[in-house]
Amino acid sequence: MSSLPRRSLLKAAAVAGAAAQFSWVLGRNEARAAPAAEPVAEERPATLTWLEPGGLGAAGGSTFGVAWPKGVHPGDREFALTTADGVPVPVQTWTTARWPDGSLKWTAHAVGPEAAGAERYALAPGTPAAGVRQVAVIETGRKITVDTGVVQAVLWKDGGKLVESLTRDGVRIATDGRLVLLRQSDLDDGDHGNARWERFDGEISGAVVEQAGPVRAVVRIDGKHRKGRRSWLPFSVRMYFHAGSEALRMVHTITYDGDQNKDFIRGLGVRFTVPMRDACYDRHVRLAGQDAGFLTEAVQGVTGLRRDPGAAVRAAQVKGERLPDPATWDQRVTSRLAYIPTWGDYTLSQLTADGFGIRKRTKDGHGWIPAGGGRRAGGFGYVGGASGGLSFGLRDFWQKHPAQLDIRGAAGDEAEVTLWLWSPEAQPMDLRFYHDGMGQDTFPEQLEGLNITYEDHEPGFGTPYGIARTSELMFWANAATPTASALVAQAAAVRVPPQLAASPEDLVRARVFGGLFSPVDRSTPARARIEDRLDYLFTYYKDQVEQRRWYGFWDYGDIMHTYDEDRHQWRYDVGGYAWDNSELSPDLWLWYAYLRSGRADVFRFAEAMTRHTGEVDVYHLGTWAGLGTRHGVQHFADSAKQQRISTAVYRRPYYFLTADERVGDLMHDLVDSDETFLVLDPIRKIRTEPYTPDRHALSIGFGTDWSGLAAAWLTEWERGGPKAAKAEARLRSTMETIAAQPNGFVQGTGLYDLDTGRFAIAEQPVVGVSHLSAMFGLVEMCAELIDLVDMPAFRSAWLDYCRYFNASKTEQAARYGQNFGTLLLFQGHSRQDAYAAAQLNDTQLAQRAWAKFDKSDGYTSAMVWDKTPVQGPAALEPGYEHLWISTNTTALYGLAAIQNLALVGDHLPQ
């Protein structure tokens, strides 16, 4: 067995995040005294490349974010995009964040099909090029019409249909786009259940045009699923259109608001009707199988028959082209066309991450026959004919199983296409809590449970009410059956949507996110060693997702918390040791790893985590809306509902890099989450003093609580959101009153007034330091705020906290009258040492930063850094008998601390 210890994921993620920031410090040759010493950045173009090779492909367009240094671009500046060769590319620009002086901090940009073909682009001030086509949006009383210049979409503002029609060149390619939900009222584990299915249809409550061109248009439609008098399962659907494109992108979100014991989702889907105008032998079905393989069939096949219609006829049908006049065929085939079956119904179901099946039948009431299968389907299909048809795809098809694609009635006048986000052939979605409470009815009993399974249980808290999930779908209105190469390109765009990305150098130059990162640097042996270990840890977790099959509709995007050395298995079934739910900020580790490297695989891993943790691990409705759930066997199981999980600090990088509107919604929804402290006290079970939540005296911690609030307020302020003024005021007032506490951040907590947005100043100094306080975005928030807001007292209070966490107990007591008690995660906190060393130009502190990073409680140089396999019973299939070395999370945060060590470059062993 490797000498690398098998400890919790907690510590591993913590160290990687710290290491990533430590590199920032390593990259600087000299420490700096204060942010004000930074030189004014010069104006220069931003460089953009495709995240993955291949460019735009068949996607309708791409939206990307660019960061700009403070003071360089005024708020009303226009930008022009060109290829590396200077060819103008039409671009649409809007502002996503401003610096406090009003200059541009982040801008978002959209390009359409005219951006295809180039690999590198430059974005600079200038007048944007006009496109050959532009998006036009027209609103009437009940409808919204979007015209891309190629496709016209008519959307409804009310009723049961989201999309009335998709029309191309006057031909209706698809109609009646709607949502469908199947509900099962009970589950019976025996053989004699009487479960009843009900169908609910999406009903629109409102629609709004969020963007109207010229390159990109966005329409948001909200509503619930209805049957009779009951409406439930709220949905929010955004539709994206690009000038000159035949594609429609859909981002679909549902929020669970049912009774976990009665409302079992049996099927959840998006459905379109596709008019079928051509002869059955000119109608085609395409379903993407594994890799680049396709099921390629006609509704009425003329290949493989006993009589041959002719080589030209067969070749045309395989290509999806219109067949020659049947009068030109071998008449032994033409005269018997009525006896060749027509296959109107197809189903591709992916019920697990490791297997899909395809079957077909002639029509309803007749038997199915198998038509193929494999491991992992592409989640893409097409139905239509020589005069046009609809391509459709569901992203993360097998990763978010059980999923399914249905085609029905393709031999009739209309085919029906359903993309099932939850397959009706799978077991019903069961969100019931996984145990009966085991008698944990009082706080003392619940604390005893916490001490054995690490699960913080409380009756009624293990509820899925209010959790959400977002899915991404794509549709193409084709003028004819696409060629094989076009289908491959469309399927690829579903699987990996093309993403333009700014270079790490440009992101570093802009000093966004507090300037806590620098590009990957292997210029010395020590730096190379750290970079290699960061790569090692990322590869490890990426491989664990695959080996352990961390997939599924509700699970994909998360990782596990702690490893069980005896079973050679992650503790997926042991209370708080199971799903990680952002514990110790793996989200931040991954985003900093991407910001530094520009690596596509890191981006996609972080993207999946952001989609998951922001939706599934957070409540969006109900009593705890705005709070997230601590780690557990189910993502909603633990009774600790806290800001540290819902914090906007985990979502900010993805939002600013992609301008994703859904993630923007999630962050905006947190602006008033200070109100949640009225209904739930985060430390209610361990309080020793009397406390009743009061609007004018809410107990809020300066670590995991305030950092979450600060992230939401900062984001709303810099985005210029509807509550930006309130957010800025709350941010400044809490910064001021934290700094004014007798012990600053070391005070630990304060009484907050919801009406004034201020903390009461404590009469007596208190030491309230936790090893968790700075592990959920506090470091990142303080670095940003010190860079943005000129408040010397706040800077001083934060630097004191940074200096004394890793100080000796004697030094702590000398400064604060008592030491900080028993602490953990010293390696993870080495980044605070490094940050303070840079801010204060303190050589001794810089030396301590390196020592704590290299020789404390995380990963050390003496450990074996390789993938030495160990024998174990964890394998569920041949070839997986060996377990990769497990990592430990104090380590991952310490390695994230490396990003902060640019400050101690002179003290780093070479």
Side-chain angles (χ1 to χ4, degrees):
M1 179 181 292
S2 163
S3 62
L4 225 149
R6 298 178 177 278
R7 282 180 275 169
S8 74
L9 163 69
L10 274 198
K11 297 179 179 178
V15 177
Q21 292 175 6
F22 234 37
S23 307
W24 166 67
V25 194
L26 291 172
R28 294 183 178 274
N29 293 323
E30 296 181 358
R32 57 186 179 84
E38 288 292 319
V40 176
E42 62 181 18
E43 180 181 303
R44 67 185 190 190
T47 300
L48 301 153
T49 57
W50 296 103
L51 191 59
E52 289 93 357
L56 189 61
S62 180
T63 301
F64 57 95
V66 176
W68 304 103
K70 182 164 51 181
V72 170
H73 295 299
D76 60 352
R77 175 148 283 175
E78 287 189 313
F79 291 92
L81 184 71
T82 60
T83 67
D85 297 331
V87 178
V89 177
V91 64
Q92 180 174 320
T93 297
W94 61 102
T95 301
T96 49
R98 284 184 167 85
W99 294 98
D101 65 2
S103 63
L104 295 177
K105 184 176 185 181
W106 284 94
T107 52
H109 310 269
V111 294
E114 289 173 285
E119 296 180 359
R120 184 177 296 271
Y121 303 83
L123 185 75
T127 302
V132 175
R133 295 185 175 93
Q134 295 187 351
V135 174
V137 180
I138 300 174
E139 284 194 70
T140 58
R142 297 181 59 197
K143 296 181 182 180
I144 300 168
T145 301
V146 182
D147 189 341
T148 71
V150 176
V151 171
Q152 298 77 45
V154 179
L155 313 178
W156 283 93
K157 296 181 181 180
D158 56 21
K161 298 174 183 176
L162 280 66
V163 181
E164 178 183 277
S165 62
L166 289 175
T167 303
R168 179 170 183 164
D169 299 326
V171 177
R172 286 197 167 195
I173 302 299
T175 65
D176 300 341
R178 64 257 193 217
L179 306 182
V180 60
L181 166 68
L182 303 178
R183 172 188 175 269
Q184 186 168 311
S185 59
D186 65 85
L187 289 182
D188 191 289
D189 296 327
D191 297 328
H192 305 291
N194 59 352
R196 185 167 58 91
W197 291 25
E198 293 180 294
R199 172 176 161 173
F200 290 72
D201 296 304
E203 182 179 63
I204 298 168
S205 61
V208 61
V209 177
E210 294 184 327
Q211 282 192 332
V215 175
R216 186 178 90 145
V218 183
V219 178
R220 172 175 170 170
I221 301 176
D222 294 284
K224 291 186 177 182
H225 297 79
R226 172 182 285 277
K227 179 188 178 185
R229 294 183 178 180
R230 186 183 182 191
S231 292
W232 73 297
L233 203 68
F235 65 81
S236 181
V237 172
R238 277 188 171 90
M239 300 191 194
Y240 296 82
F241 303 86
H242 289 83
S245 172
E246 61 187 1
L248 157 64
R249 177 174 176 250
M250 180 183 292
V251 176
H252 170 286
T253 300
I254 54 105
T255 304
Y256 186 83
D257 65 342
D259 183 332
Q260 62 179 300
N261 295 306
K262 296 179 181 178
D263 293 315
F264 303 100
I265 293 176
R266 185 76 205 208
L268 178 68
V270 178
R271 180 171 289 167
F272 276 88
T273 296
V274 181
M276 304 297 284
R277 292 168 292 272
D278 301 287
C280 284
Y281 50 74
D282 277 332
R283 301 179 184 184
H284 299 279
V285 170
R286 304 288 188 261
L287 291 171
Q290 196 163 311
D291 301 323
F294 274 82
L295 176 81
T296 303
E297 296 197 351
V299 170
Q300 187 179 41
V302 297
T303 65
L305 300 172
R306 187 174 184 186
R307 306 303 179 198
D308 182 4
V313 176
R314 288 185 282 108
Q317 189 170 72
V318 170
K319 292 179 180 179
E321 299 172 350
R322 187 180 297 278
L323 302 193
D325 186 336
T328 66
W329 304 4
D330 185 321
Q331 293 304 296
R332 291 175 298 176
V333 176
T334 306
S335 63
R336 296 180 174 92
L337 275 174
Y339 302 110
I340 301 175
T342 55
W343 300 94
D345 297 351
Y346 286 78
T347 286
L348 187 158
S349 58
Q350 178 93 46
L351 303 186
T352 73
D354 292 307
F356 72 89
I358 304 175
R359 64 185 192 276
K360 67 179 185 178
R361 67 181 179 183
T362 55
K363 59 183 177 180
D364 190 21
H366 295 268
W368 294 90
I369 67 169
R375 286 191 67 212
R376 293 169 172 173
F380 172 83
Y382 165 84
V383 65
S387 63
L390 184 71
S391 296
F392 48 91
L394 173 59
R395 188 181 181 192
D396 297 327
F397 186 73
W398 59 265
Q399 294 94 328
K400 291 168 67 174
H401 65 81
Q404 183 170 311
L405 303 179
D406 281 351
I407 296 171
R408 298 288 185 268
D413 293 336
E414 294 180 330
E416 190 177 76
V417 169
T418 308
L419 295 85
W420 292 104
L421 316 182
W422 187 278
S423 165
E425 296 181 6
Q427 290 294 308
M429 185 187 293
D430 188 355
L431 295 177
R432 293 175 294 181
F433 191 67
Y434 79 102
H435 68 69
D436 65 2
M438 299 177 289
Q440 300 175 68
D441 298 323
T442 66
F443 284 178
E445 291 167 329
Q446 292 157 23
L447 291 172
E448 286 300 301
L450 182 68
N451 279 324
I452 186 65
T453 66
Y454 205 26
E455 178 178 78
D456 193 358
H457 176 74
E458 192 169 339
F461 277 65
T463 175
Y465 186 94
I467 67 172
R469 195 52 158 146
T470 290
S471 303
E472 299 176 54
L473 305 92
M474 285 287 295
F475 303 91
W476 286 264
N478 302 285
T481 298
T483 63
S485 59
L487 287 166
V488 169
Q490 289 176 352
V494 170
R495 188 174 63 254
V496 184
Q499 180 66 55
L500 275 171
S503 68
E505 291 75 17
D506 284 342
L507 294 170
V508 170
R509 187 174 66 92
R511 286 191 54 79
V512 288
F513 304 126
L516 287 179
F517 61 96
S518 61
V520 171
D521 182 358
R522 287 188 164 86
S523 61
T524 69
R527 293 189 177 106
R529 185 169 65 248
I530 291 169
E531 301 291 0
D532 290 345
R533 290 174 184 175
L534 282 167
D535 289 350
Y536 165 86
L537 288 168
F538 171 72
T539 301
Y540 172 78
Y541 279 105
K542 184 173 69 171
D543 290 343
Q544 282 296 289
V545 170
E546 171 63 12
Q547 179 173 338
R548 305 298 177 176
R549 301 302 192 269
W550 292 338
Y551 301 119
F553 182 82
W554 291 109
D555 296 333
Y556 179 58
D558 206 353
I559 54 180
M560 284 280 169
H561 180 290
T562 306
Y563 193 78
D564 186 336
E565 298 179 37
D566 297 311
R567 285 188 289 173
H568 294 300
Q569 174 63 282
W570 293 84
R571 302 183 200 178
Y572 71 96
D573 57 350
V574 184
Y577 292 110
W579 290 114
D580 189 62
N581 283 32
S582 296
E583 182 68 8
L584 288 192
S585 304
D587 320 58
L588 287 175
W589 159 46
L590 291 166
W591 281 121
Y592 275 104
Y594 169 73
L595 292 167
R596 301 182 60 244
S597 67
R599 284 176 51 177
D601 54 350
V602 177
F603 180 96
R604 297 303 182 187
F605 199 103
E607 177 185 38
M609 182 171 285
T610 301
R611 282 282 188 224
H612 169 91
T613 59
E615 304 276 10
V616 182
D617 299 342
V618 176
Y619 289 102
H620 310 274
L621 292 174
T623 303
W624 303 313
L627 297 178
T629 301
R630 176 182 176 270
H631 39 101
V633 171
Q634 292 166 298
H635 297 287
F636 51 84
D638 202 272
S639 72
K641 314 297 185 184
Q642 297 184 1
Q643 289 279 333
R644 72 185 200 187
I645 306 303
S646 61
T647 174
V649 76
Y650 298 150
R651 330 287 170 224
R652 286 159 50 81
Y654 184 66
Y655 171 76
F656 288 123
L657 291 167
T658 67
D660 182 88
E661 281 83 2
R662 173 58 186 169
V663 172
D665 291 344
L666 297 178
M667 296 190 297
H668 171 71
D669 289 345
L670 296 172
V671 173
D672 294 324
S673 57
D674 49 359
E675 299 274 352
T676 61
F677 290 87
L678 269 176
V679 297
L680 191 67
D681 175 18
I683 59 172
R684 60 196 176 281
K685 297 184 183 180
I686 58 174
R687 284 198 183 276
T688 57
E689 75 285 359
Y691 171 72
T692 301
D694 180 273
R695 185 172 187 84
H696 302 292
L698 287 176
S699 178
I700 295 181
F702 299 156
T704 58
D705 296 337
W706 180 78
S707 63
L709 294 172
W713 294 333
L714 172 58
T715 308
E716 183 77 357
W717 174 30
E718 64 186 359
R719 288 178 68 193
K723 299 180 180 180
K726 174 184 176 180
E728 179 188 359
R730 301 252 153 160
L731 197 57
R732 291 180 181 275
S733 63
T734 52
M735 290 171 65
E736 177 187 335
T737 49
I738 289 173
Q741 300 297 326
N743 279 343
F745 275 95
V746 173
Q747 194 81 13
T749 189
L751 294 177
Y752 174 77
D753 189 319
L754 274 170
D755 292 340
T756 66
R758 299 176 67 85
F759 286 104
I761 308 304
E763 296 180 0
Q764 299 295 326
V766 172
V767 170
V769 175
S770 166
H771 61 280
L772 294 179
S773 295
M775 292 299 173
F776 292 83
L778 183 64
V779 173
E780 290 73 18
M781 279 299 97
C782 288
E784 286 207 55
L785 293 171
I786 288 170
D787 231 16
L788 294 173
V789 179
D790 184 15
M791 193 177 292
F794 180 85
R795 175 176 178 268
S796 177
W798 176 241
L799 291 177
D800 262 12
Y801 187 88
C802 291
R803 291 170 59 201
Y804 283 98
F805 185 96
N806 273 340
S808 69
K809 290 188 175 183
T810 300
E811 291 171 314
Q812 292 167 353
R815 169 65 177 83
Y816 292 101
Q818 66 181 91
N819 64 55
F820 292 177
T822 302
L823 296 173
L824 302 171
L825 303 179
F826 302 114
Q827 187 178 57
H829 282 80
S830 62
R831 64 203 184 115
Q832 278 102 298
D833 289 332
Y835 179 80
Q839 291 282 318
L840 299 169
N841 199 16
D842 188 325
T843 300
Q844 288 186 326
L845 196 54
Q847 291 172 333
R848 190 179 80 190
W850 177 253
K852 290 293 184 181
F853 173 76
D854 194 45
K855 298 182 175 65
S856 58
D857 61 351
Y859 286 157
T860 69
S861 299
M863 292 178 180
V864 177
W865 286 86
D866 62 26
K867 297 178 179 131
T868 305
V870 295
Q871 297 294 331
L876 297 178
E877 60 180 80
Y880 286 84
E881 303 87 4
H882 300 306
L883 174 74
W884 294 49
I885 296 171
S886 172
T887 52
N888 130 22
T889 46
T890 313
L892 270 180
Y893 226 92
L895 280 182
I898 299 182
Q899 286 183 164
N900 275 79
L901 269 186
L903 314 164
V904 297
D906 292 342
H907 309 283
L908 173 67
Q910 297 299 303

